[in-house]
Amino acid sequence: MNIEQQPPIVIIGTGYAGYGLAEALRQRDQQTPIVLFTADDGHNYSKPGLSTALTRDRAAGELVTETPLALEERLNIRIHTRCPVYSIDAKSKILSTASGEQRYSKLVLAQGAAPIRLPLQGDAANEVISVNDLQDYRHFRERLQGRKRVSIIGNGLIGCEFANDLANAGIEVDVIGLSAWSMDRLLPQVVGEQLQNRLADKGVHWHLNTSAASVDCIGDGYRLTLQNGEQVDTDLVLSAVGLRARTELAAAAGAEVGRGIKINGGLRTSLPDVFAIGDCAEINGQLLPYLAPINAALPALADGLLGWPTMVQYPLMPVMVKTPACPLTLQAPAADLEGDWHIEQTDGGIRALYIDAQQQLQGFVLTDDLGSERQYWLDRIGCPLEQVA
Ligand SMILES: Cc1cc2nc3c(=O)[nH]c(=O)nc-3n(C[C@H](O)[C@H](O)[C@H](O)COP(=O)(O)OP(=O)(O)OC[C@H]3O[C@@H](n4cnc5c(N)ncnc54)[C@H](O)[C@@H]3O)c2cc1C
């Protein structure tokens, strides 16, 4: 009798979400076949480490924690590296990939997000780089060799982390940002300005309320022309204007997508037996592009894939910003919440509490030594102001 083998669970992506899921599945089950596809070389590394690696003087190869071969052996999984998936036939449960067709029993999209490219003018617009994965970082290090000045387009969290890291490495940095102060979506003005001042002390120049219009070659460097007419000469241009969830594959297969691939509380997409996790996924209209939501989702997804449907419980997920010039710990309030920042300057740093219209604590930012108060304020989220102050 010819008993057909059950097709594997297939995971597209070998980032924190993809490899994390393979680990979580193997902790629960040694036998179910697991196959991963990745467009990159499949080396495991910590992506958050990319924006502190210059300070730590780490070359790209030194950031690798495990090779795909070692992962295949340790976890008893199959990894197809440099093998993009081109399309999903959700009805027949077949993928079309660079190495042919692949059947699946259940499919997980862990495709991450890609850097947004600004529509820049100028003869060097294509030479602007982004650092979103290990290969980008390798390229960045090569291009940085012997260079003294770097311009960063984008004054959000990632732009500020790279500004601090480059400044620590002795590079002169210009940051160009659209908003009036850095990390304006996460920080009140006074904290954003404190961060700018501390980085300015390390040699970072700020060009705010404007954006880059064009990049042209000049000598062996570049000239950036800003929308306010200012010109900045530099050796390298780094773009850090945000990421866009990779939704194309899912959308072409008929899945519901918004800013990300839409999933429910059990990480299911609108397609049968197709799930999504990590930077590519959208839950309740929100993207959650951090490690903590992936950590929260992994056990539930692994259980669900193995036949025990489970809903994810997301805890509060504070963010520690890697700007050692001005250490920041924050719990961002929900984007659509009306409220005001209540600011307190203390000897240990700035304490900013976000209080909503019902006078309840909904978020906070703590600088410097006040970061040690993180748990205290996390425990008081949702509490009335008079009980917390
Ligand atoms: C510089 C930087 C610093 C950060 N710092 C922090 C921090 O301090 N704390 C924090 O919580 N978060 C941080 N983040 C965010 C965090 O790193 C991400 O949320 C997380 O790594 C996303 O993991 P992922 O697995 O969803 O995506 P990724 O790691 O991007 O993995 C996506 C994978 O999908 C593959 N892929 C995509 N499309 C296809 C296809 N069609 N076929 C095959 N393979 C495909 C890619 O090759 C890749 O393997 C940082 C991010 C950056 C860029």
Side-chain angles (χ1 to χ4, degrees):
M1 196 167 49
N2 182 15
I3 302 173
E4 207 183 326
Q5 224 194 346
Q6 166 89 334
I9 293 175
V10 174
I11 303 169
I12 306 178
T14 57
Y16 192 79
Y19 278 148
L21 180 60
E23 296 260 7
L25 285 166
R26 276 293 172 258
Q27 279 163 11
R28 291 160 173 75
D29 172 293
Q30 303 300 311
Q31 304 306 327
T32 304
I34 301 172
V35 175
L36 290 94
F37 286 86
T38 179
D40 57 41
D41 66 11
H43 284 73
N44 200 10
Y45 70 101
S46 161
K47 189 179 284 211
L50 298 180
S51 50
T52 56
L54 295 177
T55 304
R56 294 179 293 127
D57 195 21
R58 292 281 190 281
E62 293 173 297
L63 298 178
V64 172
T65 52
E66 205 168 1
T67 65
L69 196 62
L71 276 148
E72 283 191 324
E73 281 174 11
R74 182 168 66 80
L75 295 175
N76 179 28
I77 56 180
R78 174 83 181 93
I79 307 167
H80 295 272
T81 59
R82 298 190 198 283
C83 187
V85 175
Y86 298 136
S87 64
I88 305 165
D89 180 341
K91 211 161 157 209
S92 314
K93 295 191 166 185
I94 295 176
L95 304 178
S96 158
T97 83
S99 65
E101 290 195 339
Q102 170 71 55
R103 297 174 64 219
Y104 63 83
S105 56
K106 298 206 165 82
L107 175 64
V108 181
L109 307 173
Q111 291 176 257
I116 293 172
R117 304 283 304 176
L118 282 183
L120 294 167
Q121 304 293 310
D123 61 16
N126 287 336
E127 295 183 35
V128 172
I129 61 172
S130 306
V131 179
N132 184 45
D133 60 30
L134 196 58
Q135 188 165 318
D136 292 341
Y137 177 72
R138 184 171 287 119
H139 179 58
F140 173 55
R141 286 281 295 220
E142 282 164 12
R143 297 277 311 273
L144 208 53
Q145 281 292 325
R147 303 295 173 149
K148 301 221 156 13
R149 219 172 149 168
V150 173
S151 291
I152 300 174
I153 308 174
N155 61 340
L157 188 151
I158 300 291
C160 290
E161 289 191 350
F162 275 111
N164 202 148
D165 201 34
L166 283 157
N168 283 354
I171 304 282
E172 203 178 321
V173 182
D174 288 271
V175 180
I176 297 110
L178 254 189
S179 59
W181 66 91
S182 48
M183 292 178 57
D184 66 308
R185 289 198 210 143
L186 297 170
L187 302 180
Q189 184 162 0
V190 64
V191 181
E193 287 176 352
Q194 161 110 295
L195 172 63
Q196 281 159 220
N197 293 338
R198 298 268 187 91
L199 288 174
D201 290 344
K202 296 181 75 67
V204 176
H205 311 279
W206 297 90
H207 311 265
L208 300 180
N209 289 310
T210 188
S211 184
S214 63
V215 187
D216 292 285
C217 290
I218 171 167
D220 28 329
Y222 303 101
R223 172 162 293 168
L224 270 163
T225 304
L226 310 188
Q227 272 164 1
N228 65 6
E230 211 184 325
Q231 293 191 319
V232 179
D233 288 347
T234 189
D235 294 331
L236 194 60
V237 186
L238 183 65
S239 175
V241 294
L243 299 174
R244 185 170 289 126
R246 293 193 177 103
T247 57
E248 300 82 0
L249 202 59
E256 275 182 44
V257 304
R259 289 193 298 147
I261 303 164
K262 293 193 178 189
I263 54 169
N264 69 9
L267 295 109
R268 280 182 179 276
T269 70
S270 59
L271 298 174
D273 290 323
V274 182
F275 301 73
I277 182 170
D279 283 9
C280 66
E282 173 188 317
I283 181 150
N284 298 329
Q286 260 191 298
L287 300 170
L288 301 171
Y290 299 103
L291 303 186
I294 299 176
N295 289 332
L298 284 173
L301 181 53
D303 286 345
L305 290 168
L306 295 171
W308 310 292
T310 311
M311 291 290 156
V312 185
Q313 302 293 333
Y314 292 100
L316 289 170
M317 295 177 281
V319 174
M320 264 67 75
V321 185
K322 303 188 294 295
T323 46
C326 181
L328 299 169
T329 302
L330 60 94
Q331 173 66 42
D336 53 356
L337 202 71
E338 291 289 324
D340 293 303
W341 287 106
H342 292 225
I343 313 281
E344 216 182 318
Q345 307 256 6
T346 76
D347 289 345
I350 301 175
R351 182 186 299 116
L353 304 179
Y354 194 83
I355 309 295
D356 70 9
Q358 281 71 48
Q359 296 299 299
Q360 289 175 344
L361 177 71
Q362 296 295 357
F364 59 80
V365 177
L366 306 166
T367 77
D368 303 295
D369 295 345
L370 294 190
S372 61
E373 296 180 354
R374 178 180 63 160
Q375 196 56 49
Y376 177 90
W377 294 111
L378 279 174
D379 292 343
R380 282 155 184 80
I381 293 283
C383 292
L385 181 60
E386 66 267 19
Q387 281 180 25
V388 300

